[in-house]
Amino acid sequence: MSGFPKPTKAPAPRTRDAGLVAKIYAAILAVMVLLQMFNFPELINIFYGFWLPGGQVLAVALAGIVVTAEVLAVPFLLGMRLSPAFRVFSMGLGLLAPAIWLYSLISVIASTNAVRNSGILGSKVVVPPSLTVVFLVVALELLAIWAAWGLWPFRTKKEKS
């Protein structure tokens, strides 16, 4: 008997659209994380410039958590063979990443701080924080919710038959 979890095949998507949405969301996350990791120390400085309560410690934590969440959300979205626990964890991280961006952007827009870059596409592609970016992040969160619904890792009895 092995103590390691057994990877299982991902359940089929509920609809064809859900699988497509998950792949689109995975591609968007991949582009975001590549641009953010291109100059990660600058991403930390961008988060620090948001003046979030917690200062440098929260800036480092949020930058690390959001990039890690974006990377680890991709296996769930692509339907890779994962253990059931990691499939749920990966799904949760896919929901968490845009939530962190939403919190950060709303905080910086609500403050009187003049920030030039939202950091959503890293430090090389300057995307100023605005309501438009907030709406785009809300759209990302909706994509994440749609993908989580469509690729839900557990099936009910009605769905199994």
Side-chain angles (χ1 to χ4, degrees):
M1 178 174 165
S2 174
F4 293 107
K6 302 280 187 228
T8 59
K9 186 178 176 185
R14 290 183 181 184
T15 64
R16 189 174 359 141
D17 292 341
L20 180 63
V21 165
K23 286 177 180 42
I24 290 170
Y25 181 48
I28 292 170
L29 286 181
V31 169
M32 286 173 57
V33 79
L34 284 173
L35 291 170
Q36 291 163 3
M37 289 301 294
F38 187 69
N39 194 357
F40 186 72
E42 192 59 35
L43 182 66
I44 294 172
N45 290 337
I46 289 171
F47 270 101
Y48 185 62
F50 288 170
W51 293 352
L52 298 172
Q56 185 74 24
V57 174
L58 186 64
V60 171
L62 282 182
I65 290 169
V66 76
V67 168
T68 304
E70 290 167 353
V71 168
L72 293 179
V74 172
F76 167 76
L77 295 169
L78 295 181
M80 295 179 174
R81 289 181 60 87
L82 303 169
S83 70
F86 191 78
R87 189 174 314 283
V88 172
F89 180 67
S90 182
M91 179 184 68
L93 291 177
L95 295 166
L96 177 68
I100 291 173
W101 282 114
L102 192 60
Y103 164 74
S104 301
L105 287 168
I106 289 174
S107 296
V108 77
I109 290 172
S111 73
T112 58
N113 187 7
V115 176
R116 289 188 32 232
N117 190 2
S118 66
I120 198 153
L121 293 178
S123 62
K124 298 297 181 188
V125 179
V126 177
V127 179
S130 64
L131 285 179
T132 305
V133 179
V134 170
F135 289 133
L136 289 174
V137 172
V138 168
L140 279 180
E141 186 69 48
L142 291 174
L143 284 177
I145 292 168
W146 190 350
W149 170 82
L151 303 176
W152 188 252
F154 306 109
R155 296 294 184 225
T156 62
K157 290 181 182 179
K158 288 181 183 177
E159 290 177 289
K160 286 182 182 177
S161 55

